[in-house]
């Protein structure tokens, strides 16, 4: 496969919209599928806002030209002719496996890459529900997608080498990202290191050892982190932090991966961080 022109994205939340944006900015024709008309409208508004900001900063010449390459729909059948489809829906194994079964039925290109943007669910579990596990792999972007350069490439034991290299060509050659190779283990490279660090900060606050502000200030001023771990948790979304922690704990059974009670209570209360207006901080 040469350059990828036909890109599909499932989900137009923060991650899905970001993936659609970078694909369209690189010249691709992008179809994004959302679950409802309201979600599609919200996703399109998210794209318009982000691209407008990029144009104002001189990152792109014309937001409208890029938007013309993106279609947001509610019918998965619109992905039939795609060369690469990236799943970016809720971090739930049952939802993702059901989606990959449908994509396997719908996508007609025999060489299409079916990719997941999961941050924690083993790629193998998604590949084996399809008839083409050799073309299923993880392509894990980082939020905010238009800004952060890193992409983790995660083949399963059944992913063909050719699939991985074609994905690398798309990610690095067309999207202008930098890829690292990861084994198909929960958390991959970044989250397997990052999430225990964030959980440790939550435990420190939970125990009364230090305030959220002092923990974050310590890491910013003392370790040159761009933001502290609790502010970062709010940015990621506390529900996502919890979901990744649970996947890591399920895989490794190590105490450092266990979600602290405070995190679970905050998620139950809907205090999910920036997207909810309140987490460890109020926004």
């Amino acid at each position: 496969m040469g350059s990828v022109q036909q890109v599909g994205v499932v989900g137009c939340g923060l991650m899905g919209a970001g993936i659609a944006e970078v694909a369209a900015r690189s010249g691709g024709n992008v179809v994004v599928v959302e679950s409802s008309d309201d979600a599609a409208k919200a996703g399109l508004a998210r794209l318009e806002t982000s691209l407008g900001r990029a144009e104002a900063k001189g990152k792109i010449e014309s937001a409208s030209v890029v938007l013309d390459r993106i279609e947001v729909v509610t019918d998965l059948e619109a992905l039939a002719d795609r060369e690469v489809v990236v799943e970016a829906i809720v971090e739930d194994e049952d939802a993702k496996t059901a989606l990959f079964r449908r994509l396997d039925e719908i996508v007609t290109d025999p060489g299409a890459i079916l990719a997941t943007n999961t941050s924690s669910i083993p790629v193998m579990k998604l590949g084996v529900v399809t008839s083409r596990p050799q073309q299923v792999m993880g392509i894990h972007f980082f939020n905010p997608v238009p800004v952060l350069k890193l992409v983790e490439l995660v083949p399963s034991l059944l992913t063909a080498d050719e699939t991985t290299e074609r994905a690398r060509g798309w990610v690095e050659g067309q999207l202008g990202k930098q890829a690292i190779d990861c084994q198909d283990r929960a958390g991959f490279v970044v989250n397997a290191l990052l999430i225990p660090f964030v959980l440790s900060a939550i435990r420190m606050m939970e125990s009364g050892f230090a305030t959220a502000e002092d923990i974050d200030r310590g890491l910013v001023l003392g370790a040159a982190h761009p933001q502290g771990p609790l502010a970062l948790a709010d940015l990621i979304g506390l529900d996502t932090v919890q979901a990744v922690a649970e996947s890591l704990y399920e895989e490794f059974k190590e105490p450092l991966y266990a979600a602290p009670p405070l995190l679970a209570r905050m998620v139950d209360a809907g205090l999910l961080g920036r997207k909810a207006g309140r987490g460890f901080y109020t926004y």
Side-chain angles (χ1 to χ4, degrees):
M1 180 172 78
S3 65
V4 173
Q5 297 305 317
Q6 307 292 97
V7 178
V9 181
V10 186
C12 203
L14 276 177
M15 294 303 296
I19 295 164
E21 178 178 330
V22 297
R25 281 169 64 166
S26 74
N29 170 277
V30 185
V31 171
V32 190
V33 181
E34 254 298 359
S35 56
S36 68
D37 288 335
D38 286 347
K41 284 177 190 166
L44 190 57
R46 183 176 283 116
L47 283 160
E48 287 169 348
T49 299
S50 180
L51 286 165
R53 199 179 296 130
E55 183 183 309
K57 290 180 177 176
K59 305 278 188 190
I60 57 173
E61 227 171 87
S62 168
S64 61
V65 166
V66 177
L67 272 170
D68 283 345
R69 298 193 197 108
I70 304 172
E71 186 182 6
V72 185
V73 300
T74 56
D75 185 4
L76 278 172
E77 301 282 346
L79 301 174
D81 65 345
R82 302 291 98 178
E83 297 166 273
V84 173
V85 177
V86 184
E87 167 275 311
I89 65 169
V90 63
E91 195 70 353
D92 177 87
E93 189 178 319
D94 291 340
K96 288 183 190 291
T97 50
L99 175 60
F100 271 80
R101 284 192 187 96
R102 290 280 289 126
L103 291 176
D104 189 35
E105 295 167 357
I106 288 167
V107 179
T108 57
D109 185 334
I113 296 172
L114 304 182
T116 175
N117 186 59
T118 182
S119 50
S120 60
I121 293 167
V123 175
M124 179 66 79
K125 292 187 175 182
L126 306 178
V128 295
V129 303
T130 75
S131 64
R132 39 180 151 178
Q134 71 278 7
Q135 288 159 234
V136 176
M137 67 177 293
I139 302 181
H140 182 220
F141 294 82
F142 288 80
N143 183 37
V145 179
V147 176
L148 294 187
K149 287 288 189 185
L150 183 67
V151 173
E152 292 177 319
L153 295 180
V154 191
S156 80
L157 290 173
L158 298 177
T159 305
D161 290 344
E162 182 196 358
T163 300
T164 305
E165 291 316 305
R166 284 162 56 206
R168 191 188 314 280
W170 178 56
V171 164
E172 294 191 334
Q174 289 182 248
L175 303 188
K177 301 295 187 185
Q178 295 180 28
I180 61 173
D181 296 302
C182 312
Q183 290 186 15
D184 184 19
R185 304 195 318 171
F188 314 137
V189 169
V190 173
N191 280 317
L193 293 169
L194 179 63
I195 295 300
F197 167 62
V198 171
L199 298 179
S200 181
I202 296 171
R203 289 189 196 98
M204 181 176 278
M205 178 193 165
E206 184 178 43
S207 71
F209 188 86
T211 65
E213 290 81 3
D214 282 348
I215 291 167
D216 280 357
R217 194 177 298 125
L219 271 296
V220 170
L221 300 179
H225 288 204
Q227 65 184 148
L230 299 173
L232 178 60
D234 277 354
L235 178 63
I236 295 168
L238 301 196
D239 52 341
T240 302
V241 172
Q242 182 184 38
V244 178
E246 287 171 351
S247 291
L248 287 163
Y249 187 75
E250 176 71 22
E251 179 114 321
F252 300 112
K253 300 296 191 291
E254 295 276 1
L256 79 163
Y257 295 124
L262 175 62
L263 176 61
R265 298 301 173 274
M266 291 177 74
V267 171
D268 289 343
L271 306 178
L272 305 181
R274 281 181 179 270
K275 61 187 173 186
R278 186 176 158 201
F280 292 105
Y281 300 92
T282 301
Y283 300 90

